[in-house]
Amino acid sequence: MKQVPQKDAPLKLNESGTWIREDVSYEVNEPDAYALEEALRQREKHKGEVVVITSGPARAQQVLREALAKGADRAIHLEDDKFVGLDAFNTAKAIAAAIKDEQFDLIFTGLQSDDYGYAQTGVILAELLGWPHATIIMQIEKNETGIRVKRELEAGFFQFVDMPTPAVLTIQSGINKLRYATLIGIKQAKNKPLRKVSLAEVQSALGENLQKIEKLYIPQKTKKTEHIEGAPAEIAKKLVDKLRNELRVL
Amino acid sequence: MADTILVVVEQREGKLNRVSWETITAGQAIAAATGWTLEAAVVGSGAASIAAEVAGKKVAKVYAIESAKLEPYTPDAFAAALKQFLTSKQPKLVLMPHTYQVRDFVPKLATAMGRTVISDCIGFKHEGGKLVFTRQMFQGKLAADVSFTSGAPWFVTFQNGSFRGDKAEAGASTAPVETVSVDIADGVIRNKPQEVFKEAKQAVDLTQAEVIVAVGRGIKEQKNIEIAKQLADALGGDLAASRPICDSGWLPMDRQIGSSGQTVAPKLYLALGISGAIQHIVGMKGSRAIIAVNKDSEAPIFEIADYAIVGNLFDIVPPLIEEVKKAKG
Ligand SMILES: Cc1cc2nc3c(=O)[nH]c(=O)nc-3n(C[C@H](O)[C@H](O)[C@H](O)COP(=O)(O)OP(=O)(O)OC[C@H]3O[C@@H](n4cnc5c(N)ncnc54)[C@H](O)[C@@H]3O)c2cc1C
């Protein structure tokens, strides 16, 4: 799970114009929330344990706390400011190194993050672990040989895929209905184990970033947009005039 | 020898995915800027007929990468086939459209080769001999120029609509086609895909609607959808939504607009509290006119809007309903 700037947060560029200023509010990446929910539901059906993992600065612990409050059993935090600047390849390498002694059957990630939007970390992790993967998942059922998953394809098409476990699945928003943390859950979360992994512990697995953000900026507008301004009543009048005389839909 | 750009076009069930022409256009533009050679490849069983279609464009050569194991599509087989091919050909730059299929296998392929993908790009710049790729960040609120710091091949995927497919130049003569058979060992393919299907037929068809009022997460609560409904009714239009609204069950899935919903092109698309993520925009950018109401003046939806109203939709919509009713008499 990843912590990303809140959807409505106004973003400001940093001095060097290569990233945003960190003083914004954060929230959990939306598809990751669905990935957690799916893990909790699978555990409710099949027993077992749900472990949540994030890589990010101290602030990212909030994501883990919320996940524990919703019902995850334990958490792993790759904690260092530097984890934010890793590309997807190295983030996946760091995660793979942090979980090398674990025996997971399934790893879920959100299908992409709301900040970078690379849509790669889960698939890269699968390749590093040597596991099969499937992306943009809308349903997961256990079967005799492993699992049957439902992949979302473009334009309203879907496909079921049978695959063995262990496997990595990238989860699409809307796969389930999210739960809220309960008060008792929030209380219990305080006593659940949270393992911290420092950058030093995984450093030897990492390499140089393979790609680099040269410049971050506000996109130039290409379309001519007419702004309609004024008090709401005035805007309404102006718009109706456009609807009638320019767009001819009235 | 000049560096090579390889465009991997996409085929599904023996048909070229049209978005591939956009990637060919992108490849031609990068070739013109850099002086590199442009080639193309099709992966699949029966790729030859598609390779012939692509060979009509201005490309130096087209490869048909074939194996019976490439049908049906699996990420394991596609990554294995392309890894073999790319390892022997060593192109500098590999371009693909950012489709669901490509995003399923290309990070695996690049990782298997110790390389990286700059994914979902919308353009490129070639300045002072340096090639950078532009992509949206933060769901389109910002853009970034990204460069490779690693060796070739460089993998880049382009977002749907970033280049004009109809601008792909035809070649002076047909390019040669070479068929390449790849070996995919037993046991490489672990996933067993079933038939592709469409969910039960949709009850609502918005593709013929003349006026659409669409709501996004800015509507805040399910009960507020009522005011959008009133506006739609007043305009004689249909109600639609962005994905999160349907994910929450506030409106049925068949009212969802976007890459995983319906694609519409009404005379008027009125977007209320929709930020304008690319997956939404691809479903409605063909609208004759777009009016967007959003409280955030920097919301990406304004980049494609014809009329922009920066403000709180709860202030704007009620008087608008009244004015529309008055106008209709
Ligand atoms: C593979 C994939 C497929 C997808 N398919 C689709 C798809 O088919 N369709 C789709 O829509 N999305 C799709 N998405 C999701 C998409 O990326 C966005 O997350 C989604 O479109 C955002 O919806 P939104 O604009 O309603 O919400 P947000 O991005 O949260 O935007 C809400 C907007 O409302 C504004 N706002 C808030 N309050 C007010 C107010 N009072 N007045 C006015 N404005 C206000 C905010 O400024 C903000 O801009 C897909 C994503 C992926 C990864």
Side-chain angles (χ1 to χ4, degrees):
Chain A
M1 300 182 75
K2 182 177 189 182
Q3 195 184 42
V4 296
Q6 237 166 32
K7 282 191 198 68
D8 279 3
L11 303 175
K12 293 194 203 78
L13 297 173
N14 68 7
E15 296 266 291
S16 59
T18 51
W19 196 239
I20 55 161
R21 279 175 40 185
E22 285 271 322
D23 54 344
V24 293
S25 358
Y26 289 88
E27 65 185 359
V28 61
N29 182 46
E30 187 169 35
D32 300 0
Y34 285 95
L36 169 69
E37 177 64 40
E38 192 55 30
L40 295 173
R41 287 177 185 227
Q42 293 294 332
R43 184 193 62 190
E44 278 150 18
K45 261 194 245 162
H46 307 293
K47 305 258 180 331
E49 186 193 30
V50 172
V51 183
V52 281
I53 181 162
T54 196
S55 130
R59 61 169 162 79
Q61 200 191 97
Q62 181 60 25
V63 165
L64 300 178
R65 288 285 163 213
E66 281 167 24
L68 293 171
K70 284 184 171 187
D73 299 286
R74 59 187 170 94
I76 303 171
H77 187 178
L78 286 89
E79 188 188 321
D80 198 293
D81 289 352
K82 293 211 178 64
F83 283 121
V84 177
L86 296 187
D87 60 12
F89 190 49
N90 278 303
T91 301
K93 280 186 161 179
I95 293 171
I99 62 171
K100 67 177 189 316
D101 297 326
E102 301 277 0
Q103 302 276 322
F104 298 133
D105 299 295
L106 289 171
I107 295 179
F108 297 167
T109 67
L111 81 174
Q112 64 189 59
S113 61
D114 290 340
D115 52 1
Y116 277 77
Y118 273 119
Q120 296 189 36
T121 308
V123 179
I124 294 171
L125 181 60
E127 177 65 15
L128 294 174
L129 296 170
W131 294 6
H133 76 268
T135 54
I136 320 191
I137 298 305
M138 288 297 282
Q139 189 182 312
I140 303 160
E141 303 288 341
K142 192 169 181 293
N143 62 16
E144 310 81 60
T145 50
I147 49 173
R148 168 167 283 204
V149 299
K150 184 178 173 190
R151 287 187 65 209
E152 178 182 305
L153 306 177
E154 279 131 337
F157 285 92
F158 295 92
Q159 181 179 43
F160 284 104
V161 176
D162 291 331
M163 57 198 296
T165 57
V168 177
L169 304 175
T170 78
I171 306 295
Q172 169 67 305
S173 294
I175 180 175
N176 48 40
K177 295 272 166 289
L178 301 177
R179 73 188 65 192
Y180 294 99
T182 58
L183 269 174
I184 185 140
I186 295 168
K187 249 197 193 142
Q188 285 169 345
K190 298 205 171 83
N191 298 320
K192 290 180 176 174
L194 192 158
R195 175 161 72 93
K196 291 196 180 182
V197 178
S198 66
L199 182 59
E201 278 174 75
V202 295
Q203 187 85 61
S204 66
L206 307 183
E208 293 292 315
N209 275 349
L210 304 180
Q211 52 178 276
K212 177 177 165 217
I213 296 174
E214 301 276 348
K215 192 174 129 201
L216 192 68
Y217 51 96
I218 296 167
Q220 294 106 339
K221 282 180 64 111
T222 44
K223 186 159 175 172
K224 240 181 59 224
T225 302
E226 185 178 336
H227 279 262
I228 300 177
E229 290 161 348
E234 240 176 289
I235 290 177
K237 283 212 170 62
K238 287 183 191 166
L239 256 187
V240 165
D241 180 58
K242 307 264 179 219
L243 295 177
R244 182 189 274 149
N245 299 318
E246 289 180 25
L247 307 179
R248 300 183 192 283
V249 292
L250 279 184
Chain B
M1 208 186 80
D3 286 316
T4 303
I5 304 165
L6 182 79
V7 172
V8 181
V9 301
E10 179 162 305
Q11 62 102 11
R12 287 178 199 173
E13 282 138 29
K15 282 211 205 73
L16 181 79
N17 182 350
R18 316 290 309 168
V19 72
S20 303
W21 294 131
E22 298 180 10
T23 322
I24 295 280
T25 304
Q28 289 177 339
I30 298 172
T34 56
W36 298 350
T37 304
L38 179 64
E39 298 183 339
V42 198
V43 186
S45 83
S49 68
I50 291 167
E53 197 180 342
V54 177
K57 297 295 173 191
K58 195 175 155 199
V59 294
K61 192 166 183 179
V62 185
Y63 298 94
I65 302 173
E66 300 217 0
S67 159
K69 292 212 170 104
L70 291 166
E71 198 64 41
Y73 162 80
T74 56
D76 287 334
F78 266 57
L82 274 166
K83 184 182 170 189
Q84 253 177 61
F85 177 76
L86 297 173
T87 305
S88 79
K89 287 285 179 269
Q90 293 291 332
K92 177 82 172 172
L93 182 63
V94 180
L95 308 178
M96 302 185 204
H98 190 71
T99 60
Y100 279 34
Q101 179 166 305
V102 166
R103 48 183 281 173
D104 191 56
F105 77 80
V106 79
K108 175 183 168 73
L109 167 64
T111 302
M113 300 183 72
R115 296 293 183 252
T116 190
V117 191
I118 302 182
S119 51
D120 209 9
C121 297
I122 55 172
F124 75 94
K125 292 174 192 153
H126 186 248
E127 291 162 345
K130 185 163 180 165
L131 203 48
V132 296
F133 295 89
T134 305
R135 61 189 306 285
Q136 295 179 317
M137 303 283 283
F138 300 96
Q139 303 228 18
K141 290 194 202 86
L142 297 174
D145 291 342
V146 186
S147 66
F148 287 96
T149 50
S150 52
W154 295 343
F155 292 90
V156 173
T157 67
F158 282 112
Q159 188 171 92
N160 197 325
S162 304
F163 292 84
R164 294 266 309 261
D166 58 348
K167 293 274 152 94
E169 272 181 76
S173 60
T174 307
V177 175
E178 182 184 329
T179 300
V180 181
S181 307
V182 286
D183 284 327
I184 297 168
D186 290 336
V188 165
I189 301 173
R190 296 164 292 184
N191 294 1
K192 284 201 197 66
Q194 313 294 315
E195 288 298 308
V196 169
F197 66 96
K198 216 168 185 152
E199 218 80 297
K201 199 168 157 36
Q202 288 172 329
V204 188
D205 179 12
L206 296 173
T207 57
Q208 302 306 317
E210 299 230 318
V211 173
I212 291 178
V213 175
V215 290
R217 198 157 16 205
I219 202 79
K220 292 284 179 324
E221 286 181 62
Q222 181 165 20
K223 66 170 173 33
N224 298 337
I225 292 191
E226 186 52 31
I227 66 161
K229 172 92 175 51
Q230 285 170 13
L231 180 57
D233 287 345
L235 287 165
D238 283 293
L239 194 59
S242 68
R243 179 164 183 141
I245 300 300
C246 302
D247 282 349
S248 312
W250 296 356
L251 280 176
M253 284 291 271
D254 49 15
R255 292 197 180 266
Q256 180 178 315
I257 305 299
S259 61
S260 47
Q262 300 199 42
T263 300
V264 296
K267 274 191 185 163
L268 170 64
Y269 192 91
L270 214 163
L272 303 174
I274 293 178
S275 64
I278 180 63
Q279 295 88 1
H280 186 79
I281 286 177
V282 294
M284 45 67 84
K285 66 175 177 204
S287 305
R288 184 102 52 88
I290 298 166
I291 301 177
V293 182
N294 197 303
K295 66 172 189 189
D296 176 5
S297 64
E298 314 236 296
I301 188 81
F302 288 135
E303 280 171 47
I304 60 149
D306 299 280
Y307 302 97
I309 298 152
V310 178
N312 185 336
L313 75 92
F314 299 107
D315 295 336
I316 310 289
V317 174
L320 184 57
I321 295 170
E322 291 317 309
E323 281 300 323
V324 171
K325 281 189 184 157
K326 252 199 262 168
K328 285 213 161 172

